[in-house]
């Protein structure tokens, strides 16, 4: 069985094709000041050297705010920077056991992406700590993907024993519809005029929680 890990109510997924350089780090810092509890580094186009440098800088900032850092796919980078976990695409979830054994660190979580009931059952079987279920709403990141919609998302989320993080098209305006679930966002923070305020609003909408750094 996987170790139990707290799930942050608000995760920011990085996308340097959307926002990079000093502007990204300024936005990240502001969002952390607003209560952002976790950063998921998902930069598939970066080579290992650039990713290591990028993740290391984020690790330094998140540590200052006592926020978590998760690395997409590359467990070696996660281990090198002292990240809090690894996130896998749905097609790679069969690697969970091997990665967990290689990491040999019960404090590190392993999460996976899911999009349907079959993948949720697989995530349970493979021993994920939590799942990102998407897309809930229409999203700019995957504009051609049919969204689950709120009813379907809730039905799927209730069908699994794993903690579920909602992802896809989530903004401050529709966050309240997902008040029972932690969420992951990209544009809601990276595109925000006031990322600190956006993070505060996204946090405040989480039902029965007073802070985003659980």
């Amino acid at each position: 069985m996987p170790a139990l890990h707290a799930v942050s109510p608000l995760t920011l997924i990085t996308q340097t094709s959307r926002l990079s350089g000093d502007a990204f780090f300024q936005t990240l810092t502001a969002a952390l000041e607003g209560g952002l509890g976790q950063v998921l580094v998902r930069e598939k186009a970066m080579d290992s050297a650039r990713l290591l440098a990028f993740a290391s800088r984020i690790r330094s900032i998140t540590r200052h705010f006592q926020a978590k850092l998760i690395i997409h796919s590359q467990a070696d980078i996660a281990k090198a920077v002292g990240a809090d976990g690894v996130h896998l695409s749905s097609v790679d979830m069969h690697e969970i056991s091997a990665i967990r054994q290689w990491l040999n660190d019960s404090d590190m979580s392993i999460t996976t992406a899911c999009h349907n009931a079959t993948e949720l059952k697989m995530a349970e079987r493979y021993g994920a700590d939590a799942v990102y279920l998407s897309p809930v709403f229409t999203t700019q990141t995957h504009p051609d993907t049919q969204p689950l919609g709120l009813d379907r998302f809730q039905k799927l989320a209730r069908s699994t024993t794993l903690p579920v993080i909602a992802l896809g098209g989530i903004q401050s305006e529709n966050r309240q519809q997902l008040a029972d679930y932690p969420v992951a966002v990209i544009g809601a923070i990276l595109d925000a005029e006031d990322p600190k305020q956006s993070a505060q609003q996204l946090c405040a909408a989480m039902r029965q929680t007073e802070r985003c750094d659980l």
Side-chain angles (χ1 to χ4, degrees), residues 59-79:
R59 172 75 290 184
S60 178
I61 297 170
T62 54
R63 188 174 283 123
H64 176 75
F65 287 93
Q66 297 183 319
K68 295 178 182 178
L69 173 64
I70 309 297
I71 305 297
H72 193 294
S73 300
Q74 294 191 237
D76 54 341
I77 299 292
K79 196 168 189 176

Side-chain angles (χ1 to χ4, degrees), residues 40 70 86-89 96 109-113 128-132 165:
L40 169 55
I70 309 297
V86 177
H87 177 73
L88 301 175
S89 300
I96 289 175
S109 66
I110 302 181
T111 59
T112 187
D129 290 305
V131 299
Y132 288 68
I165 302 155

Side-chain angles (χ1 to χ4, degrees), residues 140-158:
Q140 292 183 33
T141 307
H142 301 287
D144 298 326
T145 301
Q146 180 69 30
L148 295 169
L150 189 61
D151 290 345
R152 178 65 175 158
F153 168 83
Q154 291 175 333
K155 182 178 180 180
L156 287 169
R158 288 193 295 265

Side-chain angles (χ1 to χ4, degrees), residues 10-33:
L10 179 60
T11 298
L12 169 64
I13 300 176
T14 70
Q15 190 177 67
T16 52
S17 61
R18 194 171 196 152
L19 187 68
S20 61
D22 289 341
F24 167 79
F25 289 104
Q26 290 166 4
T27 294
L28 171 62
T29 300
L32 288 163
E33 290 172 347

Side-chain angles (χ1 to χ4, degrees), residues 61-199:
I61 297 170
T62 54
R63 188 174 283 123
H64 176 75
F65 287 93
Q66 297 183 319
K68 295 178 182 178
L69 173 64
I70 309 297
I71 305 297
H72 193 294
S73 300
Q74 294 191 237
D76 54 341
I77 299 292
K79 196 168 189 176
V81 302
D84 300 287
V86 177
H87 177 73
L88 301 175
S89 300
S90 56
V91 295
D92 294 325
M93 70 171 74
H94 63 282
E95 301 285 355
I96 289 175
S97 179
I99 291 174
R100 197 182 296 282
Q101 185 175 6
W102 182 81
L103 289 171
N104 192 29
D105 186 346
S106 61
D107 290 333
M108 292 184 73
S109 66
I110 302 181
T111 59
T112 187
C114 289
H115 311 90
N116 52 54
T118 299
E119 290 178 352
L120 286 171
K121 292 301 181 185
M122 290 172 61
E124 290 178 7
R125 187 166 70 249
Y126 287 125
D129 290 305
V131 299
Y132 288 68
L133 181 57
S134 69
V136 184
F137 305 114
T138 301
T139 170
Q140 292 183 33
T141 307
H142 301 287
D144 298 326
T145 301
Q146 180 69 30
L148 295 169
L150 189 61
D151 290 345
R152 178 65 175 158
F153 168 83
Q154 291 175 333
K155 182 178 180 180
L156 287 169
R158 288 193 295 265
S159 75
T160 181
T161 60
L162 297 173
V164 172
I165 302 155
L167 169 64
I170 297 166
Q171 302 286 337
S172 299
E173 295 77 15
N174 58 24
R175 172 66 173 100
Q176 190 62 49
Q177 299 178 57
L178 295 160
D180 292 323
Y181 299 94
V183 300
V185 302
I186 302 175
I189 289 178
L190 296 186
D191 296 342
E193 292 185 9
D194 188 337
K196 180 178 179 179
Q197 182 182 62
S198 180

